[in-house]
Amino acid sequence: TEFVSVSELANMMDVNVNEVISTCMSLGLFVSINQRLDAETLTVVADEFGYKVEFVSADIQESIDDADEEDSEENLVPRSPIVTVMGHVDHGKTSLLDYIRSTNVIAGEAGGITQHIGAYHVTLDEGKDITFLDTPGHEAFTAMRARGAQVTDIAIIIVAADDNVMPQTVEAINHASAAGVPIVFAINKIDKPGANPERIKEELANMNYLVEEWGGKYQSHDISAKQGKGIEDLLEKVLLEAEMLELNANPKKRAAGTIIESSLDRGRGYVATVLVQSGTLKSGDIVLAGQYFGHIKAMFNERNQKIEEAGPAQPAIILGLDGAPQAGDNFHVMENERDARGIANKREQLAREQGLRSQKHITLDEIGRRI
Ligand code: GDP
Ligand code: MG
């Protein structure tokens, strides 16, 4: 397997090396001129310049390309929207996500989802599903974006009606807009005596975010996350927004997606919550994620039930990785263990090299502060 350096890649594409470096930066990778890039990074960076990378090793080529391969129309099927809730601290993100998680009952199954998990899939009516990312607010959203992961289809921006549009509300709106993610507003805490949802809508209007009620294009719904009021209607609006996006994916290929969270569990080893974005993830698959890889030993859904596969827009908890990848890392199912190990090792080396370099990059200002 051949890996080229940043400057070699720039030469091959006949572009200025600084352009390659800044493109890497926009993907959350801080690279130097002589740094070697792993297969996936190469593919992604070259793609930014309109190039397609052909790898010497056919296996790797196939594995990495699988996710980007043109999906023929007949292989595409509708998928659920993936939704993130963002907003100012204490405006009710956790309350809303908890309400949805704990009340959702899939037909024929008792109870909601009891465990806390970074992503869960709920069924509202037959065929009307939504996948929620339950990450701590927009920090995770930005962290994931910085790592090049675009996971969210729709953002619910929650604003407490007994408060105002706050700095983090504005930040969340800006993040969603910058990512081109449609927004649905949830005006929360309408049960509170001092609540004034109209004032929030006015504040939004002043920012040029005009809600539908006011003749604008943004859907909005008044809710009480505490009492569960208005939440069904809010989710209907989210589904409406999703319909317009015509989301689909090809389930008939090796899976690729994003790591949502991961940790080391005493009894079970490394546990990762992943979100499948294309293809179908199967128990036994060889997964490559960041610097780690492994065969999936067991796979569970958000209800802790053992599952054998997970399709597009479905979260899954997987056991079997040999480490804990970072939230926002992509994962790919690989054809064979040798390639998975090869890329994982290269990435580990890359990270080590980066670590060494950043240690050397201490500015005088920082040294001053230490003394
Ligand atoms: P987060 O910081 O955005 O996750 O906000 P939380 O969900 O933790 O909510 C902050 C506080 O507001 C908590 O004390 C909640 O119980 C309360 N809260 C959230 N939603 C509502 C609501 O609809 N009505 C009322 N009365 N309180 C709420
Ligand atoms: Mg919270």
Side-chain angles (χ1 to χ4, degrees):
T1 316
E2 293 291 324
F3 295 97
V4 301
S5 71
V6 171
S7 66
E8 284 165 343
L9 176 64
N11 274 336
M12 286 183 210
M13 300 190 300
D14 198 22
V15 297
N16 190 309
V17 70
N18 289 324
E19 286 182 52
V20 176
I21 291 174
S22 63
T23 300
C24 288
M25 235 144 80
S26 71
L27 298 167
L29 279 169
F30 297 90
V31 299
S32 67
I33 289 182
N34 294 318
Q35 197 166 323
R36 290 183 300 277
L37 300 176
D38 63 66
E40 195 182 49
T41 311
L42 272 176
T43 307
V44 174
V45 174
D47 185 56
E48 295 280 314
F49 290 92
Y51 284 86
K52 200 158 173 65
V53 178
E54 270 176 52
F55 289 93
V56 178
S57 155
D59 285 345
I60 292 192
Q61 161 80 27
E62 201 179 301
S63 296
I64 299 289
D65 265 11
D66 248 16
D68 310 325
E69 204 177 287
E70 274 299 322
D71 294 311
S72 55
E73 282 284 326
E74 75 258 25
N75 286 336
L76 292 175
V77 298
R79 65 164 177 85
S80 319
I82 299 162
V83 176
T84 303
V85 178
M86 298 194 278
H88 196 74
V89 66
D90 283 345
H91 279 198
K93 296 179 293 289
T94 303
S95 303
L96 175 60
L97 282 161
D98 283 352
Y99 182 86
I100 296 166
R101 184 178 49 224
S102 60
T103 50
N104 186 251
V105 180
I106 292 179
E109 285 187 60
I113 303 158
T114 50
Q115 63 176 333
H116 189 86
I117 177 168
Y120 60 85
H121 187 244
V122 298
T123 303
L124 304 171
D125 285 316
E126 205 178 331
K128 290 184 172 178
D129 294 358
I130 303 179
T131 299
F132 281 95
L133 287 183
D134 193 351
T135 50
H138 66 264
E139 285 125 48
F141 181 84
T142 352
M144 285 199 192
R145 279 237 304 147
R147 301 180 69 75
Q150 172 84 10
V151 185
T152 305
D153 299 308
I154 295 167
I156 294 178
I157 307 267
I158 191 164
V159 195
D162 67 334
D163 199 2
N164 296 90
V165 168
M166 295 297 278
Q168 283 174 54
T169 317
V170 177
E171 227 175 88
I173 292 172
N174 290 341
H175 282 308
S177 296
V181 172
I183 293 170
V184 175
F185 289 103
I187 316 292
N188 189 31
K189 306 200 188 185
I190 53 163
D191 60 288
K192 278 191 136 183
N196 186 353
E198 295 314 301
R199 190 188 56 230
I200 302 297
K201 288 164 204 172
E202 191 181 331
E203 287 176 6
L204 292 173
N206 289 339
M207 294 173 58
N208 275 327
Y209 285 85
L210 210 55
V211 301
E212 273 193 332
E213 265 184 272
W214 287 36
K217 64 172 179 176
Y218 293 92
Q219 302 207 66
S220 163
H221 205 79
D222 297 350
I223 64 164
S224 165
K226 197 167 202 168
Q227 300 177 341
K229 225 165 37 197
I231 292 178
E232 252 188 75
D233 292 331
L234 171 72
L235 299 185
E236 285 295 335
K237 290 184 173 174
V238 168
L239 283 169
L240 221 85
E241 199 68 45
E243 256 172 51
M244 293 191 272
L245 295 175
E246 294 181 13
L247 304 166
N248 51 35
N250 177 4
K252 290 182 184 167
K253 57 182 184 182
R254 284 202 298 276
T258 302
I259 302 290
I260 302 301
E261 60 188 2
S262 68
S263 61
L264 178 58
D265 182 283
R266 234 169 223 260
R268 300 188 293 174
Y270 289 99
V271 180
T273 303
V274 306
L275 182 67
V276 178
Q277 287 170 282
S278 62
T280 299
L281 186 63
K282 296 176 181 141
S283 197
D285 276 350
I286 304 159
V287 171
L288 167 71
Q291 304 171 37
Y292 307 105
F293 76 103
H295 287 265
I296 300 181
K297 283 193 295 195
M299 196 154 76
F300 302 88
N301 65 12
E302 57 276 88
R303 289 153 199 272
N304 240 338
Q305 294 158 328
K306 209 164 178 208
I307 52 173
E308 288 307 313
E309 18 177 273
Q314 278 187 329
I317 300 158
I318 63 170
L319 310 187
L321 286 177
D322 65 351
Q326 291 186 48
D329 274 342
N330 293 326
F331 78 81
H332 283 103
V333 169
M334 302 292 284
E335 185 134 56
N336 64 66
E337 191 174 321
R338 196 195 60 223
D339 289 341
R341 186 192 306 275
I343 298 179
N345 288 344
K346 280 285 174 196
R347 285 177 175 166
E348 197 190 338
Q349 191 183 337
L350 201 77
R352 222 177 14 240
E353 287 171 6
Q354 271 177 335
L356 287 178
R357 242 190 318 282
S358 62
Q359 274 171 22
K360 286 187 209 140
H361 273 231
I362 298 174
T363 62
L364 286 175
D365 180 36
E366 276 172 290
I367 293 172
R369 248 184 282 143
R370 281 189 196 175
I371 302 165

